[in-house]
Amino acid sequence: MAEQDARAAEGTSAVARLLEVAARNADELLAESRAEAASIAAKAQSDADRLTGSSQVQAEQLKASASAEADRVLAEAHAEAERVRAELEEARAEQSAELDRQRATVLGDLAEQKAALEAEVARLQQVEQDLRDRMRSYLTQQLAQIEPTTPR
């Protein structure tokens, strides 16, 4: 029995050593795994920070580019609106000037027609007066011939 106890003690000792070695190996593997996990997490955090920074830079660049493009488009639209307004103002001024010229021409023509018509009316009134005078003279002569001559 002593032998059996010695063997059992040896077996227990061997199991204890084996458990000790397994525990040491498990601790080493756990430490390595933790170190690797920490390294992976740090790398992932670093990559995430880098990507976040890069994304923010790209977002700012896109925002600045879009803002510049919007400003450019807005400036072009204002310039086009001003050009159209100037063209319309010029066309309005030309039309107004043309209407003024036409009005002046028409009024001049009407003044000439009025003067011609007034001259024609005056000529016709003179013709009428001349005809009346001639008719009066003729009728007076006819009456003089018709009236009996009175003895003197």
Side-chain angles (χ1 to χ4, degrees):
M1 246 231 205
E3 201 178 294
Q4 234 181 6
D5 282 339
R7 273 190 191 179
E10 239 179 72
T12 303
S13 173
V15 168
R17 279 191 308 236
L18 186 59
L19 282 175
E20 190 179 304
V21 169
R24 202 175 331 126
N25 283 342
D27 287 343
E28 286 176 8
L29 287 174
L30 184 60
E32 287 176 10
S33 295
R34 284 185 179 157
E36 189 176 342
S39 172
I40 290 171
K43 184 174 181 330
Q45 183 63 47
S46 172
D47 288 348
D49 291 345
R50 183 181 50 80
L51 289 173
T52 300
S54 175
S55 296
Q56 287 174 342
V57 167
Q58 285 179 342
E60 288 298 320
Q61 288 173 343
L62 285 173
K63 181 180 172 186
S65 175
S67 179
E69 179 68 12
D71 290 345
R72 183 188 65 76
V73 168
L74 186 61
E76 286 177 3
H78 282 292
E80 179 68 11
E82 182 59 29
R83 184 190 63 76
V84 168
R85 189 204 59 75
E87 285 178 3
L88 289 174
E89 181 62 28
E90 184 179 330
R92 187 203 61 77
E94 288 175 5
Q95 288 176 349
S96 180
E98 179 61 26
L99 285 173
D100 288 345
R101 284 191 296 274
Q102 288 177 355
R103 185 180 306 116
T105 301
V106 167
L107 289 176
D109 290 348
L110 287 174
E112 288 175 12
Q113 290 175 1
K114 179 182 176 187
L117 289 173
E118 287 174 347
E120 181 66 14
V121 166
R123 187 188 70 76
L124 290 173
Q125 286 173 341
Q126 185 60 47
V127 166
E128 177 189 21
Q129 188 60 45
D130 290 346
L131 283 174
R132 285 178 186 257
D133 289 345
R134 284 183 20 214
M135 173 113 21
R136 191 174 294 116
S137 174
Y138 174 75
L139 289 175
T140 303
Q141 286 176 357
Q142 290 297 317
L143 279 173
Q145 288 178 1
I146 295 176
E147 286 184 5
T149 49
T150 54
R152 290 194 174 176

